[in-house]
Amino acid sequence: MNNQGIARLLEETADLLEIDGGDSFRIRSYRRAAEAVEQSTVAIASLVDMPKRLLEIPGIGKGMAANLQVAVRERSIPLRDELLARYSAEILDLMKLPGVGPKTVRLLWDAAKIASIDALEAAIRSGALQGLPRMSEKQVAKLKKGIEDYRKSSGRFRIDHAEEAWLALRAYLGALSGVETVTTAGSLRRGRETVGDLDILVTGPACEPGATGELVEAIARYEDIRDLIAKGENKVSFHLQSSLQVDVRLLPARSFGAALQYFTGSKMHNVALRQRALRMGYTLNEWALARVDDGSVVASETEDAIYSVLGLDWIPPELRENLGEIEAAQTHSLPRLIALDDLRGDLHMHTHATDGLHSIEEMAEAACARGYSYIAITDHSKNLAMTNGLNEERALEHIARIRAVDRALGGRIRVFAGIEVDILTDGELDLPDAVLAEMEIVIASVHTALQMPREAMTRRILRAVENPYVRILGHGTGRLLLRREPYEVDLPAVLRRCAELGVAVEHNAAPERLDLCDRDLRLALEAGCRLVVNTDAHDRRQLDKMRYGVRQLRRAWVRPADVLNTLEVGALLSALRARTSASGSCFSLQSPVGAVSTNSS
Ligand code: DGT
Ligand code: CA
Ligand code: CA
Ligand code: ZN
């Protein structure tokens, strides 16, 4: 069992103790241990026979060390099992609902012995929650919505979680004897925002028909496996601890291309491709592209060869959804899709002035190390009190600090002053124009009152983007993947107006958000919007999340020229919305080093 799995067991034990009304010191000790295990750079499993080493980990005492040993050996913690037996094996599922923590679960249990999502749903239906403390009508409606969303999304996994599982598996499989290549296919290869299961292809001498026995056994010994689903001659399927399903297929190298093509999908793309093959006198399956008449194989080793025999350019996996990519591949008009390397900067990030972790300097240095030419520091505004959002006075001080850091960097990277200003419920912005006028990058975002009716929300956002200082619209849907549905809004109307005003529309690269989604991004392009892709980093490592955003842009057929932060500094500043006052006169950009100095280094 890996550290993450152990940490989850500890965390769940703490949750169960809290539900059980346990001693707060004991609860904290489990949470601290979970944190310590998760942060540890050493695999706990490798220390299982060295209790002394376990005790060296900060936050791990004697009793906890014993827990860790059991966790590694038995994949469980006795106290956790005991509590699950007392309540229900499904009680922890309740906490996957938004706004539900141990306290609420405790309440539900005390009031009506509710210990699963099914039971909660039944209780809502029968009205059994009425009159309970802290269960207003509004709260019950929220729970009901939460259950609906949970049902829709359960069984799918965020792209970053799937990627993490994939990278660990790739390392394990790649090191097994007789394995030469390990490749991911399916929705992960296509870069979908969520993944139903992992599809993995393995080739090498141990994958040749008749020779797979030992490899299959070795795969089945992977430490993160929770349960095996199937173990065949050339396929092993299992659930990981996280309950993510994995299908590993062993193939001879000669059919790798056909298998990769087939298992990458999507189904709709494959159906269209197979029909095309049939029209041309071929059959296409996971083994080969072959002639119908005599069955002779014409292509199977590479994807390239298969597409080429079918008269098509090779199609990037992100486009394989049967949305016109086959036609474009036939006429050699597939777009040159944006790639990570095209980006010159990141225009949305937070610092410890609000809810970020690092300083302006630290964010700038991290961006510099990534090779960026510019960033914008865009902390929250005061409406988001829980983030310690900036009021007018603090915003002005923050600008001064940003300018000072920008100067001190001596042109190594440009640091723009910015803000992620809240759009208030009536569409007013949370800070006065005079403050916004001092900054290059004003992102306007809706963060509160997400439950508004569609028309009111549309009016709210349309009013906000009319403010001449708004250059970027953030959080165009406000969703949290698998947790919170988008807010209701007439998105096409908003996108059209942004296009008219020259307000850029942000794609948020954080894998738990990814708004706008791929389909909405296509809508934005059709509306003539210019895009930006930003990480919304709350610590410097999160600048790495740009890659998730780029995957969604690629899925939306986005080219580098569609995205403003592929431009160099000078071009970026002239491409952003020009700022005019109500009377129409232009404001110059306020910057001590000259906002348009492109040759400052
Ligand atoms: P997921 O796992 O729900 O995120 O989505 P995929 O696309 O990874 O779907 P999955 O894992 O069921 O299958 C992987 C690929 O295998 C799929 O994209 C296309 C191919 N495939 C699976 N079943 C069929 C089928 O019945 N017909 C065709 N043509 N292809 C299939
Ligand atoms: Ca899949
Ligand atoms: Ca699959
Ligand atoms: Zn933000």
Side-chain angles (χ1 to χ4, degrees):
M1 172 164 266
N2 62 15
N3 286 8
Q4 230 187 329
I6 299 168
R8 210 184 58 238
L9 288 177
L10 294 165
E11 194 62 50
E12 288 175 356
T13 310
D15 289 339
L16 287 164
L17 271 172
E18 203 170 335
I19 292 166
D20 195 51
D23 169 59
S24 65
F25 179 78
R26 202 171 179 207
I27 297 169
R28 256 203 318 278
S29 80
Y30 275 94
R31 293 215 194 281
R32 237 194 350 257
E35 175 80 18
V37 167
E38 179 134 38
Q39 296 298 323
S40 171
T41 50
V42 196
I44 302 294
S46 70
L47 304 180
V48 70
D49 297 319
M50 295 180 261
K52 279 226 182 69
R53 292 284 309 279
L54 285 175
L55 287 170
E56 282 166 17
I57 302 171
I60 304 294
K62 269 215 177 101
M64 203 50 77
N67 272 322
L68 295 182
Q69 288 174 309
V70 180
V72 170
R73 294 198 181 112
E74 326 248 328
R75 298 181 171 197
S76 81
I77 290 176
L79 179 58
R80 175 178 172 277
D81 295 346
E82 193 186 309
L83 290 166
L84 283 178
R86 185 176 313 165
Y87 294 94
S88 133
E90 291 152 60
I91 194 165
L92 292 168
D93 291 343
L94 283 171
M95 290 200 296
K96 293 176 187 158
L97 301 175
V100 176
K103 283 200 187 57
T104 311
V105 177
R106 167 95 216 163
L107 176 79
L108 294 170
W109 172 263
D110 282 347
K113 298 277 174 287
I114 293 167
S116 70
I117 289 183
D118 284 345
L120 177 59
E121 197 174 27
I124 292 174
R125 223 178 303 119
S126 71
L129 296 189
Q130 267 162 27
L132 289 185
R134 289 194 287 131
M135 281 294 155
S136 62
E137 218 167 287
K138 207 170 143 200
Q139 181 62 24
V140 173
K142 209 170 132 193
L143 283 174
K144 191 161 169 246
K145 176 83 170 45
I147 294 174
E148 280 165 20
D149 292 350
Y150 174 83
R151 298 253 192 257
K152 260 188 246 163
S153 63
S154 68
R156 295 196 72 81
F157 292 77
R158 267 162 41 182
I159 187 171
D160 53 327
H161 296 154
E163 186 190 77
E164 191 179 4
W166 148 242
L167 292 175
L169 259 164
R170 184 178 67 177
Y172 177 77
L173 297 172
L176 296 178
S177 98
V179 169
E180 263 162 17
T181 71
V182 186
T183 313
T184 182
S187 49
L188 184 62
R189 183 167 184 241
R190 301 200 310 283
R192 276 200 60 182
E193 60 188 29
T194 63
V195 163
D197 68 9
L198 287 187
D199 303 281
I200 296 179
L201 307 180
V202 180
T203 67
C207 301
E208 293 296 323
T212 60
E214 274 179 38
L215 181 55
V216 165
E217 291 307 322
I219 294 171
R221 283 194 296 272
Y222 182 52
E223 63 163 6
D224 193 31
I225 292 179
R226 191 185 67 199
D227 56 89
L228 268 180
I229 300 166
K231 201 167 68 173
E233 206 188 315
N234 49 23
K235 182 178 170 191
V236 188
S237 291
F238 46 83
H239 288 118
L240 298 173
Q241 296 295 340
S242 63
S243 74
L244 173 60
Q245 184 179 326
V246 182
D247 297 332
V248 182
R249 293 184 172 81
L250 317 184
L251 343 141
R254 66 186 166 281
S255 51
F256 175 71
L260 183 59
Q261 196 290 312
Y262 181 90
F263 291 111
T264 295
S266 66
K267 262 173 219 173
M268 299 306 287
H269 174 88
N270 284 359
V271 166
L273 204 65
R274 208 164 42 223
Q275 281 164 353
R276 181 182 177 88
L278 281 173
R279 281 197 303 274
M280 297 174 72
Y282 300 113
T283 60
L284 177 61
N285 59 29
E286 65 262 55
W287 301 106
L289 180 69
R291 248 186 259 289
V292 172
D293 46 17
D294 60 3
S296 61
V297 171
V298 289
S300 66
E301 266 178 62
T302 67
E303 272 193 338
D304 227 5
I306 291 167
Y307 283 105
S308 157
V309 171
L310 294 175
L312 303 171
D313 292 340
W314 179 82
I315 300 174
E318 294 92 340
L319 299 186
R320 300 185 194 173
E321 301 288 349
N322 197 28
L323 291 170
E325 73 279 9
I326 295 177
E327 294 75 5
Q330 181 183 334
T331 54
H332 309 295
S333 51
L334 285 167
R336 197 304 238 159
L337 296 177
I338 188 168
L340 197 51
D341 275 355
D342 292 318
L343 291 166
R344 299 275 168 276
D346 188 335
L347 297 173
H348 182 167
M349 65 192 68
H350 300 264
T351 68
H352 58 37
T354 61
D355 60 346
L357 198 63
H358 291 111
S359 65
I360 303 166
E361 291 89 338
E362 287 167 326
M363 295 307 282
E365 286 298 342
C368 226
R370 302 185 50 86
Y372 282 153
S373 325
Y374 50 83
I375 55 170
I377 301 292
T378 55
D379 274 301
H380 289 292
S381 63
K382 63 181 188 298
N383 187 46
L384 282 189
M386 74 272 199
T387 70
N388 190 25
L390 305 175
N391 61 18
E392 185 170 343
E393 190 189 345
R394 287 178 61 219
L396 291 170
E397 286 165 12
H398 204 40
I399 295 170
R401 274 195 300 273
I402 296 168
R403 301 284 181 227
V405 170
D406 185 42
R407 268 193 305 274
L409 284 163
R412 284 200 291 136
I413 185 169
R414 268 307 303 274
V415 183
F416 294 127
I419 189 99
E420 182 179 21
V421 65
D422 251 48
I423 301 177
L424 305 179
T425 47
D426 59 359
E428 276 289 311
L429 299 181
D430 190 26
L431 288 171
D433 284 2
V435 175
L436 302 181
E438 297 294 317
M439 309 189 228
E440 287 88 23
I441 302 296
V442 174
I443 304 172
S445 299
V446 162
H447 283 112
T448 57
L450 300 177
Q451 312 288 341
M452 267 182 154
R454 180 182 164 96
E455 271 174 26
M457 184 63 96
T458 306
R459 258 197 320 274
R460 175 184 182 185
I461 297 177
L462 285 175
R463 175 154 181 228
V465 296
E466 293 300 326
N467 181 300
Y469 298 101
V470 172
R471 296 188 132 177
I472 297 173
L473 174 66
H475 299 309
T477 69
R479 69 173 176 168
L480 287 175
L481 265 169
L482 308 178
R483 283 177 48 208
R484 186 172 77 201
E485 292 287 303
Y487 53 70
E488 295 284 340
V489 68
D490 182 352
L491 190 62
V494 169
L495 294 173
R496 272 196 306 277
R497 191 62 188 142
C498 284
E500 285 164 9
L501 293 169
V503 171
V505 174
E506 177 179 84
H507 174 65
N508 193 300
E512 68 276 22
R513 295 187 174 275
L514 296 174
D515 53 0
L516 306 173
C517 73
D518 48 9
R519 183 202 56 231
D520 292 342
L521 286 167
R522 285 193 286 269
L523 216 63
L525 285 187
E526 281 164 25
C529 293
R530 287 179 303 179
L531 304 173
V532 289
V533 53
N534 297 322
T535 58
D536 195 359
H538 283 66
D539 76 52
R540 61 187 169 203
R541 279 177 322 185
Q542 291 179 356
L543 292 172
D544 283 340
K545 293 186 171 181
M546 195 61 103
R547 66 180 186 281
Y548 301 116
V550 170
R551 292 307 293 280
Q552 300 312 306
L553 293 178
R554 290 171 64 85
R555 288 179 54 77
W557 297 57
V558 171
R559 304 160 198 254
D562 301 320
V563 178
L564 295 184
N565 49 326
T566 62
L567 297 171
E568 283 302 347
V569 172
L572 168 78
L573 288 170
S574 28
L576 284 166
R577 177 192 201 175
R579 302 189 298 182
T580 52
S581 72
S583 60
S585 73
C586 278
F587 279 79
S588 64
L589 290 167
Q590 319 264 322
S591 167
V593 283
V596 285
S597 63
T598 50
N599 51 358
S600 50
S601 47

